[in-house]
Amino acid sequence: MYTEVLVTGAVAALVLVAHAARARLRLSRAKHRSLAGHSRWARRLAKLLPYYGFDAQRFFDSDGAPAAIAAQRKAGLATLRTRLQLDCPQSQALTARLEASLPDLAFTNAYRVPFQYRQTLGEQLRVGAVAVSSHGAQIRDADGHDRYDLSGSYGVNVFGYEFYKQCIADGVRRAAALGPVLGPYHPAVASNAERLREISGLDAVSFHMSGTEAVMQAVRLACYHTRRTHLVRFCGAYHGWWGDVQPGIGNPVPAPHTYTLEDMADTALLVLETRRDIACVLVNPLQALHPNAPAPGDGSLLTTRGAHFDRAAYGAWLARLREVCTRRGIVLVFDEVFMGFRLAAGGAQAYFGVTADLVTYGKTVAGGLPIGVVCGRHDLMQRYHPDRPGDICFARGTFNSHPYVMTAMASFLERIQHPDIVALYDGLDARWNARAATLNQRLDDLGLPLRVTNLSSVWTVCYTQPSRYHWMFQFYLRSAGLALSWVGTGRLIFSIDYSDDDLDEVFRRFVGAAVAMRDDGWWWCPPGVDAHDIRRRLVGEMLAARFGMRTADRHE
Ligand SMILES: Cc1ncc(COP(=O)(O)O)c(C=O)c1O
């Protein structure tokens, strides 16, 4: 009898262990093979990465370029210095003042280029970080230089800066009588909530001060209502800078309740299908442009990068995800903080034809003021259970529903119903695809080694040959009068009201910048060298830096 009990216990324990091992294996298989898919390893390895920098000579020939090419590059950088630094004394002075107090600016300045080049570049070329006015599609710096805006203000600018100036001015007017009174709601809140319910197709709304906060709240609600502990995000996707949605490099705090799975993969669906601890899945539709890859910043652009958007394939993937989430009681969250209102009036849900349980909006939706919004199914948005008074999901915030933000939002939500704005969505994708094709044709005609890939009005520059210097292109674009965010050429964001004339001028400058960069020798490439060779060389440099060895070779 006693033996029987022991054997039964042992068998049960074995079954449990086997079950846990199978679940763990499934989870491992559902991770993307890149480091971005293995956040813990990425963090550990990142800590081992040694710093090394190129001196004023190596800066120009780190790819083994001959002396003549290095001299061409040097002359090119001197020209950029004149245009971007010496001709901009006011911007330089103001930026220096800012740098003394804002570590954030020091960070973005440092990380806009690969670290090996950072110090020498900083000694030779400093770019201004101050803007004083905007008009039409252009932004003016402190020295009066106008540049076409390709930064899109991190995605906020969907309809053009004049549109947002009107929303804010209108908002200030409407909120003036109440002022910054918090607690009681401004009447605009009711109409905003009704309009957002209509747009999202969901039942209830909450207001926050940033996209990060909105995502935090969506995840918290999902955990509260499902009584589960974990969230799923897809490899490479950005959902704000809150720890749990940003495991890995950049977040010093562990994120033990996050599974990062491979995007658009059956193995990920299998994990959702079988685990019982998953409260929600976060989807950032921007990832459709580069599934499983992080934001394509020039700071990490050391060889090439890829991007490809297939609307049908991504839509089909979302439909499968929807189906599994519904079956498994997992909350599907569309994080439309970036893409909401950009792809279609009904956002990514309408664009891909898939309905989420919770949707977050942000960036543009308060007419240019800081905002985060959660829209959701009635049952998921409740903050307490009437039959369990101690069991609540607390989420508030001093500035939630701020009168000025709410009135600017009211103005935004009214203005986007204007026929001129509604018309912008007609044939939107076809228009932006044709525009990208036009630019690519011009680049192709001149044999230039770069192309753009787009998800509607969000573009990324891809390079058709390997090089260690593609990141330099951001400075040529700037010098040609095109303004980018610190992320650089990996993310060009157009407002959807860009006129054909403005865009034609942007293309002329873009192509001119590429010609100048080529003529200055930055795209020189030793015959037969491919991206693997460059990566090998990089690894060699890193090992040499780590273990104190010397590397040097040059193609004469
Ligand atoms: C998809 C997505 N979610 C969340 C956020 C965070 O929004 P915020 O910067 O307003 O906190 C961002 C910001 O870029 C985003 O793109």
Side-chain angles (χ1 to χ4, degrees), residues 133-169:
S133 63
S134 63
H135 47 104
Q138 302 195 58
I139 298 177
R140 181 164 298 167
D141 73 14
D143 296 281
H145 302 295
D146 289 327
R147 294 189 180 88
Y148 278 97
D149 180 41
L150 311 190
S151 80
S153 286
Y154 301 119
V156 169
N157 186 14
V158 178
F159 300 112
Y161 290 118
E162 301 310 321
F163 176 95
Y164 295 92
K165 285 178 191 172
Q166 288 163 13
C167 290
I168 291 171

Side-chain angles (χ1 to χ4, degrees), residues 154-156 209-215 237-242 245 283-286 335-339 360-363 370-372 491:
Y154 301 119
V156 169
M209 285 310 293
S210 69
T212 299
E213 269 190 76
V215 173
Y238 184 67
H239 295 285
W241 62 278
W242 164 51
V245 291
V283 171
N284 176 356
L286 175 58
D335 179 0
E336 299 209 33
V337 167
F338 194 110
M339 294 308 280
T360 55
Y361 300 107
K363 297 202 189 263
I371 188 67
R491 184 142 298 156

Side-chain angles (χ1 to χ4, degrees), residues 309-332:
F309 172 53
D310 181 337
R311 181 174 177 177
Y314 196 74
W317 158 249
L318 291 181
R320 292 179 70 202
L321 199 56
R322 171 70 279 177
E323 202 260 316
V324 173
C325 286
T326 304
R327 190 144 31 81
R328 299 291 301 164
I330 296 169
V331 178
L332 179 59

Side-chain angles (χ1 to χ4, degrees), residues 3-339:
T3 320
E4 258 174 45
V5 171
L6 265 185
V7 170
T8 313
V11 169
L14 269 178
V15 169
L16 280 178
V17 168
H19 184 73
R22 224 177 37 235
R24 188 69 194 82
L25 196 65
R26 262 191 228 115
L27 196 57
S28 295
R29 287 210 180 114
K31 292 185 177 181
H32 191 252
R33 62 189 178 285
S34 69
L35 268 184
H38 295 79
S39 29
R40 241 180 267 162
W41 275 109
R43 239 190 6 222
R44 278 186 204 130
L45 287 175
K47 281 188 190 146
L48 295 178
L49 183 67
Y51 172 78
Y52 61 96
F54 295 143
D55 62 19
Q57 178 56 37
R58 199 76 201 279
F59 180 92
F60 297 104
D61 66 6
S62 62
D63 54 353
I69 295 291
Q72 241 172 296
R73 292 172 176 173
K74 202 169 190 173
L77 186 59
T79 308
L80 289 176
R81 177 179 160 83
T82 304
R83 295 222 184 102
L84 296 177
Q85 185 169 329
L86 305 181
D87 287 352
C88 307
Q90 297 295 333
S91 302
Q92 291 291 323
L94 286 166
T95 303
R97 271 180 66 197
L98 287 172
E99 272 174 339
S101 315
L102 297 185
D104 194 40
L105 184 55
F107 171 79
T108 51
N109 272 343
Y111 281 83
R112 68 173 78 236
V113 304
F115 69 85
Q116 297 90 339
Y117 302 89
R118 178 190 297 167
Q119 188 170 344
T120 300
L121 186 76
E123 286 158 10
Q124 314 216 9
L125 179 65
R126 302 188 76 74
V127 294
V130 179
V132 295
S133 63
S134 63
H135 47 104
Q138 302 195 58
I139 298 177
R140 181 164 298 167
D141 73 14
D143 296 281
H145 302 295
D146 289 327
R147 294 189 180 88
Y148 278 97
D149 180 41
L150 311 190
S151 80
S153 286
Y154 301 119
V156 169
N157 186 14
V158 178
F159 300 112
Y161 290 118
E162 301 310 321
F163 176 95
Y164 295 92
K165 285 178 191 172
Q166 288 163 13
C167 290
I168 291 171
D170 194 21
V172 168
R173 217 171 19 249
R174 293 190 202 189
L178 181 61
V181 174
L182 300 167
Y185 294 107
H186 188 281
V189 178
S191 60
N192 288 345
E194 283 156 12
R195 185 81 189 98
L196 285 165
R197 286 171 57 186
E198 225 173 88
I199 289 167
S200 64
L202 293 162
D203 311 316
V205 181
S206 67
F207 295 109
H208 310 272
M209 285 310 293
S210 69
T212 299
E213 269 190 76
V215 173
M216 282 169 69
Q217 171 64 352
V219 171
R220 188 182 272 211
L221 284 168
C223 292
Y224 177 64
H225 288 288
T226 60
R227 308 207 162 268
R228 298 175 190 168
T229 47
H230 282 63
L231 71 95
V232 163
R233 66 184 274 273
F234 290 110
C235 178
Y238 184 67
H239 295 285
W241 62 278
W242 164 51
D244 281 7
V245 291
Q246 196 211 23
I249 297 171
N251 173 14
V253 179
H257 294 117
T258 304
Y259 296 132
T260 298
L261 304 185
E262 181 171 355
D263 210 346
M264 301 184 78
D266 288 347
T267 47
L269 294 183
L270 191 59
V271 167
L272 300 178
E273 197 73 79
T274 48
R275 291 196 77 93
R276 297 203 183 132
D277 54 355
I278 297 173
C280 63
V281 177
L282 291 172
V283 171
N284 176 356
L286 175 58
Q287 289 302 112
L289 187 56
H290 44 74
N292 293 304
D298 284 354
S300 55
L301 181 58
L302 278 163
T303 48
T304 51
R305 66 172 156 233
H308 172 71
F309 172 53
D310 181 337
R311 181 174 177 177
Y314 196 74
W317 158 249
L318 291 181
R320 292 179 70 202
L321 199 56
R322 171 70 279 177
E323 202 260 316
V324 173
C325 286
T326 304
R327 190 144 31 81
R328 299 291 301 164
I330 296 169
V331 178
L332 179 59
V333 184
F334 272 18
D335 179 0
E336 299 209 33
V337 167
F338 194 110
M339 294 308 280

Side-chain angles (χ1 to χ4, degrees), residues 387-448:
D387 51 343
R388 292 195 299 274
D391 184 7
I392 56 175
C393 181
F394 187 83
R396 299 202 52 80
T398 303
F399 289 114
N400 292 356
S401 307
H402 190 286
Y404 286 81
V405 176
M406 289 296 115
T407 49
M409 181 188 285
S411 183
F412 174 92
L413 293 171
E414 285 161 23
R415 278 164 206 271
I416 60 171
Q417 295 182 63
H418 190 279
D420 289 350
I421 298 292
V422 172
L424 289 174
Y425 289 113
D426 278 348
L428 184 70
D429 253 20
R431 189 160 61 252
W432 283 93
N433 291 345
R435 288 168 160 181
T438 300
L439 178 56
N440 281 336
Q441 188 61 55
R442 292 189 200 172
L443 295 167
D444 193 36
D445 290 346
L446 292 170
L448 292 161

